[in-house]
Amino acid sequence: MIKKGNSRWRRLYNMAGVLLSILICSLTVLSPPLSTAELANPRQVLILNSYHSSMDWVVDIQRGVSETLRDQADDSEIFSEYMDTKRIPFTPQYEQQVRDFLHNKYAGRQFTTVLATDNNAFDFMRRHGEALFPGVPVVFCGINFFKDELLEGYPNFTGVTETYDAKGTLSLALALHPNTQQVLVINDHLPTGRATEAEIREQLSGMGLTIPVRYAEKMPITELEGQLTELPADSIVLLGNYYRDGLDHFIPPKESSRLISVTSKAPVYSMLEFRIGQGVVGGYAVSGYRQGRAAGRLMADILNGKPVSEIPVLKTGVNRLMFDSIQLDRFGIHPANLPMGSTQLNLDRALFTQQERMWLEQHPVIRIAPDPDFPPIEYFDDNGAYRGLAADYVRKLEERIGIRFDIVRLKNWDQAVAQAMKYGYNRFEWEHMKRDGTTFPVEVSLTRIPYRGRSAIFCMWNDITERKAAALEIQRLATHDALTGLASLRLAEDRIEMAIAKARRENCKMAVLFIDLDGFKKINDEYGHDAGDALLKEVAVRMSAIVREVDTVARIGGDEFLIILSCIATLADTDRVSAQLIQAVGQPCFFEGNELNVGVSVGVAFYPDHGDTRDALVRSADRAMYEVKRGGKNNFCVAHKV
């Protein structure tokens, strides 16, 4: 992610307000009347999110809710809205716009329950819920600093609280780093950040600490980075809520986690799960997925007829102890020293040798001069930002190994090579040719040395065939599902973008098929997860055999799949593929003498008929798939036109 200047964010904010106003007016005029079936459906639920759809915390909550409802109330239909209050200030004016938008969009619709995620949506529903959705039970999750009195006068509310265990996390960190001399606590100065800091102060005040605890002041992110650079290695950083810096610049959670952890020589701990895996060592983490699962269970109870008065607020049991194996290795923490029941991320990463770790500790910042004009590998965009495939790898390396790269922009590649040689050393990769004409990759090292009174270049090369093969395997694992070998969600999203661009360029259509297996949970329950895994592998093979090489089959989680059909000739092509999927997957699969049978529900969305963006197409296909579920399953359905 690239940090934006004040003027750009100001323009984006103003544009967002204008677009929202236009959207509200348009909805008033253009929204089609709700059908009788839509008005009568008693099992529709609304998720009102405080934040935006691409935020990991929100994604994890929605995934937890969706999976739980699919297991416990599989005929329910989910509608999701996003208030985006991390990027748009939650002012009274904006709150009124959101209220008008929801009123215009959902007037007359009878939801069975509404889920409010995080504090802004919770407060919004307390103020406007009864007017917008009279008598509808409200479930909440992700609520910071919950007190029972918040529900006085709201008998139709229940939910899941979000509890930060700052005391437990710092106690754990001090046990793992017994020579710690000071603690730095970082939060932003938004209302949630200030409240988080107050909660942390209260929890830490009772610990009887003998070392100083300092709380970061409001400052630009560049100034904070400067302070972190000077922070001694025998410190601990406790990272809470940080989304905007002192200049009111929005910084996405992944980027803020990465910037803080990469800049700091001291270990960083946090109480938020989505930060672990982005450079944070670990902590007693609030889990968005677990919040979603817990809230989903409460919603399922309501959908299945249980009164809200019989569903108490869930206040414990949602957090979990998590660590990043990469950061454990970086700071020399042996997994045997972790508490029982800890979860570790990134266990499959190859560890550095002791010598390599020592070198990285001595060189926390590495200067590189990329080719300034070599797209798509690497280049600088119009704003001077380093972009391209190589740039993505550089950022991933920063996240993975805790070092920071200083990017130097030079005029051209020749100048970059010449500048590198001034430092007396240069290293690059090359294809070396054998006598039989075959090639193999080598790493070439050039060093400038004095020779007989003149300057000369000393050259060494090293065969890196095995290293390149390992790198390719790591890249494959990053973009493909480990169980089935299919494309991962991340790769599928890229393929959808590419297919949309191709369809737009060649004036054709493309399609997204959202696929969910029917009866898969029963297979796991009756025959075990080994049988389920074997079935998923076989389903992946059968799906892949149906599509063309230019198409993509992806497993996006559990028993959900996406198929991206690129540049289809006619709409009938998707009918054919869908029918073949149903027929192929419906064939029995055998595991240890047991016959396993599942079906598939397929939702189909076309570009541009059902959406002109990746997210819109996936949502349309997902909704169409749920129509199949409600209609008896093991069939396919094309989405309604937007």
Side-chain angles (χ1 to χ4, degrees):
M1 303 294 292
I2 307 300
K3 290 179 283 186
K4 308 296 193 299
N6 276 336
S7 59
R8 168 168 290 191
W9 280 107
R10 191 177 299 112
R11 290 197 301 272
L12 288 175
Y13 170 72
N14 292 337
M15 185 181 296
V18 173
L19 289 176
L20 182 61
S21 299
I22 294 173
L23 175 62
I24 292 170
C25 294
S26 301
L27 283 169
T28 305
V29 178
L30 300 178
S31 293
L34 299 176
S35 67
T36 303
E38 287 177 317
L39 291 172
N41 190 334
R43 300 180 67 85
Q44 295 177 334
V45 301
L46 172 66
I47 302 179
L48 181 62
N49 297 283
S50 293
Y51 310 135
H52 50 283
S53 60
S54 60
M55 185 173 171
D56 285 351
W57 171 258
V58 176
V59 172
D60 288 345
I61 287 178
Q62 296 232 136
R63 181 166 60 90
V65 171
S66 299
E67 290 181 7
T68 302
L69 291 183
R70 189 165 302 166
D71 292 341
Q72 301 183 18
D74 63 355
D75 61 340
S76 59
E77 183 177 11
I78 298 174
F79 295 79
S80 297
E81 299 295 345
Y82 305 91
M83 295 167 62
D84 205 3
T85 58
K86 287 294 184 191
R87 299 188 294 199
I88 301 176
F90 192 43
T91 62
Q93 179 185 10
Y94 180 63
E95 181 175 349
Q96 183 61 44
Q97 290 175 326
V98 172
R99 184 188 186 283
D100 292 343
F101 167 73
L102 293 174
H103 171 74
N104 288 323
K105 184 171 183 177
Y106 294 114
R109 186 181 298 278
Q110 182 61 45
F111 289 112
T112 304
T113 183
V114 175
L115 172 65
T117 74
D118 296 283
N119 286 69
N120 285 341
F122 172 68
D123 292 340
F124 178 90
M125 286 302 298
R126 287 196 304 154
R127 288 191 285 266
H128 308 292
E130 188 59 29
L132 290 170
F133 313 109
V136 176
V138 176
V139 176
F140 58 81
C141 70
I143 305 305
N144 305 110
F145 324 116
F146 176 82
K147 299 184 186 309
D148 290 330
E149 50 263 34
L150 290 175
L151 296 187
E152 292 179 2
Y154 300 95
N156 237 13
F157 278 59
T158 189
V160 185
T161 66
E162 177 183 324
T163 305
Y164 286 150
D165 191 354
K167 179 179 179 180
T169 297
L170 183 56
S171 297
L172 169 70
L174 292 172
L176 295 174
H177 307 274
N179 297 320
T180 299
Q181 298 300 309
Q182 63 174 309
V183 177
L184 174 64
V185 180
I186 299 177
N187 286 284
D188 62 23
H189 290 263
L190 295 173
T192 301
R194 292 197 300 270
T196 302
E197 180 177 313
E199 176 71 14
I200 292 174
R201 285 179 182 271
E202 181 178 344
Q203 290 190 28
L204 301 193
S205 65
M207 291 181 64
L209 296 172
T210 58
I211 58 175
V213 178
R214 183 161 56 92
Y215 293 83
E217 298 178 355
K218 185 176 182 180
M219 65 185 75
I221 184 64
T222 52
E223 188 175 332
L224 177 61
E225 288 180 275
Q227 290 194 8
L228 287 168
T229 301
E230 298 173 358
L231 189 68
D234 58 0
S235 308
I236 285 175
V237 176
L238 196 59
L239 176 59
N241 277 285
Y242 192 88
Y243 299 94
R244 288 185 181 273
D245 73 352
L247 296 177
D248 206 32
H249 292 158
F250 173 73
I251 305 173
K254 282 186 178 179
E255 183 179 352
S256 64
S257 301
R258 181 180 62 82
L259 283 174
I260 290 169
S261 62
V262 168
T263 306
S264 172
K265 296 187 289 292
V268 180
Y269 286 78
S270 182
M271 295 76 68
L272 293 167
E273 182 187 66
F274 59 81
R275 294 195 183 279
I276 302 173
Q278 306 298 327
V280 171
V281 178
Y284 283 95
V286 175
S287 165
Y289 176 72
R290 289 195 170 197
Q291 287 267 323
R293 291 285 291 185
R297 288 192 291 270
L298 303 186
M299 297 170 73
D301 286 344
I302 293 172
L303 288 167
N304 293 325
K306 192 171 186 178
V308 177
S309 59
E310 298 179 11
I311 306 176
V313 174
L314 183 62
K315 299 179 180 179
T316 60
V318 181
N319 296 9
R320 62 173 173 167
L321 188 55
M322 296 185 64
F323 294 93
D324 185 344
S325 296
I326 297 171
Q327 299 304 316
L328 294 177
D329 183 50
R330 175 187 173 191
F331 292 102
I333 302 171
H334 196 283
N337 295 328
L338 302 180
M340 292 289 292
S342 300
T343 299
Q344 289 187 59
L345 306 179
N346 297 320
L347 277 169
D348 58 346
R349 174 209 176 211
L351 302 181
F352 289 112
T353 65
Q354 182 64 29
Q355 291 80 5
E356 289 169 336
R357 284 198 296 268
M358 289 177 61
W359 189 91
L360 290 173
E361 289 172 2
Q362 295 167 4
H363 302 82
V365 179
I366 298 175
R367 179 173 295 177
I368 60 174
D371 189 330
D373 188 21
F374 187 38
I377 305 302
E378 58 182 356
Y379 61 97
F380 289 90
D381 65 16
D382 293 339
N383 297 318
Y386 181 39
R387 306 297 294 273
L389 297 174
D392 292 339
Y393 278 111
V394 167
R395 283 189 283 271
K396 184 58 67 177
L397 282 171
E398 286 185 323
E399 295 175 7
R400 289 276 178 143
I401 60 180
I403 64 174
R404 186 174 181 183
F405 290 99
D406 182 17
I407 309 300
V408 179
R409 181 177 184 178
L410 298 175
K411 184 177 181 181
N412 51 48
W413 178 242
D414 290 339
Q415 191 179 79
V417 173
Q419 185 69 21
M421 294 303 297
K422 288 182 180 179
Y423 292 102
Y425 187 78
N426 191 29
R427 176 178 292 176
F428 57 91
E429 292 182 7
W430 193 259
E431 287 290 321
H432 202 70
M433 183 176 291
K434 299 180 181 179
R435 289 183 179 180
D436 62 3
T438 61
T439 62
F440 63 98
V442 297
E443 182 180 70
V444 181
S445 300
L446 304 177
T447 307
R448 187 181 296 276
I449 62 172
Y451 180 72
R452 293 183 179 180
R454 301 180 63 183
S455 179
I457 301 296
F458 179 71
C459 175
M460 294 186 300
W461 63 268
N462 180 40
D463 187 343
I464 57 172
T465 302
E466 292 185 2
R467 186 197 304 175
K468 297 287 286 185
L472 288 173
E473 178 62 12
I474 290 173
Q475 174 64 16
R476 188 191 69 80
L477 291 173
T479 57
H480 289 76
D481 176 53
L483 176 66
T484 63
L486 296 177
S488 64
L489 174 59
R490 180 179 177 182
L491 182 57
E493 291 174 340
D494 290 341
R495 295 287 173 82
I496 294 174
E497 298 282 7
M498 293 170 62
I500 290 174
K502 182 178 177 65
R504 189 180 293 124
R505 184 171 60 251
E506 300 185 12
N507 195 27
C508 61
K509 293 182 181 292
M510 57 81 61
V512 173
L513 279 61
F514 199 112
I515 302 159
D516 186 85
L517 300 186
D518 302 324
F520 180 72
K521 183 177 182 296
K522 183 179 179 181
I523 299 295
N524 272 339
D525 292 344
E526 290 188 7
Y527 302 105
H529 288 282
D530 287 345
D533 288 349
L535 177 63
L536 289 172
K537 291 178 183 178
E538 179 60 26
V539 167
V541 171
R542 296 178 186 181
M543 287 184 177
S544 300
I546 292 171
V547 301
R548 305 164 298 176
E549 288 187 3
V550 296
D551 301 325
T552 300
V553 182
R555 181 185 178 214
I556 60 174
D559 59 343
E560 291 183 337
F561 300 82
L562 284 180
I563 291 181
I564 300 100
L565 301 179
S566 178
C567 212
I568 55 178
T570 67
L571 302 186
D573 290 339
T574 60
D575 293 350
R576 174 183 54 79
V577 171
S578 300
Q580 289 177 346
L581 281 171
I582 295 169
Q583 193 275 334
V585 176
Q587 297 299 312
C589 174
F590 295 92
F591 177 77
E592 296 182 350
N594 297 307
E595 181 177 315
L596 312 179
N597 292 281
V598 293
V600 285
S601 296
V602 184
V604 183
F606 299 112
Y607 169 86
D609 307 64
H610 307 123
D612 57 1
T613 66
R614 179 191 70 202
D615 291 342
L617 287 171
V618 172
R619 282 197 302 268
S620 295
D622 188 19
R623 289 169 182 163
M625 183 272 292
Y626 273 110
E627 289 192 24
V628 177
K629 291 281 190 184
R630 289 195 298 272
K633 304 181 180 180
N634 202 38
N635 206 338
F636 69 92
C637 174
V638 177
H640 300 297
K641 285 193 174 183
V642 294

